[in-house]
Amino acid sequence: MTSDALANLVKIRKLKVEASSLREFDGLVRSALERATDAQNSSLTLASRFTLAYDASHALALAALRAHGYRSEDRYLVFQCLPHTLGWTADQWRILDYCHKKRNLAEYEGHLDVDDPLVMELISVVNMLQQQVPALRTRIV
C-alpha cells in the first residue's frame, strides 16, 4: 500500500486528511454488513439487490479510506483508492467503478440496467471487502 499516492491526492485536493474514529469505522462496517446480507435475499428485486450491494461496497471502501485517515468528497474515489488502502489490483476494483457508473445512471437519469451475473459479481466483491476491511480497525487509535 502506498501512502504516497494518497498524500498526492491530498495535494491536488481530491482527498482530505481527517483523523479516523472507531465509532465511524464500526458504523460503516456494520451498515455495510447489513446491506450485504440483504443484497443476497433473492426475494428482492434485482435493482434492490444491486443498490444494497453497491451501497455496502461503498461503505466498506470508505471505511478502508477512513481507517487510513483520509476522506473524499467524491464517491468514485473511494473505489480508486483501494489499491492504496487494501492493496487491490485494478481488476479487483474496476467492477466497483463500473457499478458506480451504473448507479449514477439510475440515480441521475432513472435508468438502471443490471443483470443477475453483474449483481452476483458485485456481491462477490463485497464479500472480499468484508473479509479485508475489518482488519483495518487496528489502524485506528
Side-chain angles (χ1 to χ4, degrees):
M1 291 179 261
T2 59
S3 59
D4 288 345
L6 297 175
N8 287 338
L9 288 169
V10 170
K11 287 179 189 174
I12 62 170
R13 299 177 192 217
K14 288 292 186 179
L15 291 180
K16 295 177 184 177
V17 174
E18 184 178 310
S20 52
S21 78
L22 285 175
R23 183 176 178 197
E24 178 187 22
F25 181 85
D26 290 343
L28 287 166
V29 171
R30 182 176 46 258
S31 170
L33 297 179
E34 290 170 1
R35 289 182 173 124
T37 298
D38 291 347
Q40 296 183 48
N41 182 345
S42 61
S43 69
L44 297 176
T45 66
L46 200 55
S48 292
R49 293 176 67 207
F50 173 83
T51 300
L52 288 163
Y54 171 83
D55 288 347
S57 72
H58 186 267
L60 289 165
L62 178 58
L65 186 64
R66 295 295 298 122
H68 284 80
Y70 297 96
R71 181 175 300 281
S72 174
E73 301 283 327
D74 300 316
R75 289 183 67 89
Y76 72 92
L77 200 55
V78 299
F79 299 134
Q80 291 181 359
C81 287
L82 287 169
H84 312 295
T85 58
L86 291 177
W88 279 29
T89 65
D91 287 343
Q92 288 176 296
W93 69 262
R94 281 203 178 118
I95 185 65
L96 297 173
D97 185 58
Y98 179 74
C99 289
H100 175 74
K101 291 172 184 162
K102 293 275 189 182
R103 175 252 181 210
N104 279 355
L105 281 174
E107 191 75 18
Y108 301 116
E109 297 180 23
H111 176 71
L112 180 62
D113 179 27
V114 297
D115 57 19
D116 197 53
L118 176 62
V119 173
M120 296 311 296
E121 187 173 2
L122 178 56
I123 289 171
S124 175
V125 172
V126 169
N127 289 337
M128 290 178 6
L129 285 166
Q130 284 178 279
Q131 292 172 10
Q132 290 183 281
V133 171
L136 294 176
R137 190 176 196 274
T138 59
R139 294 182 56 90
I140 303 168
V141 284

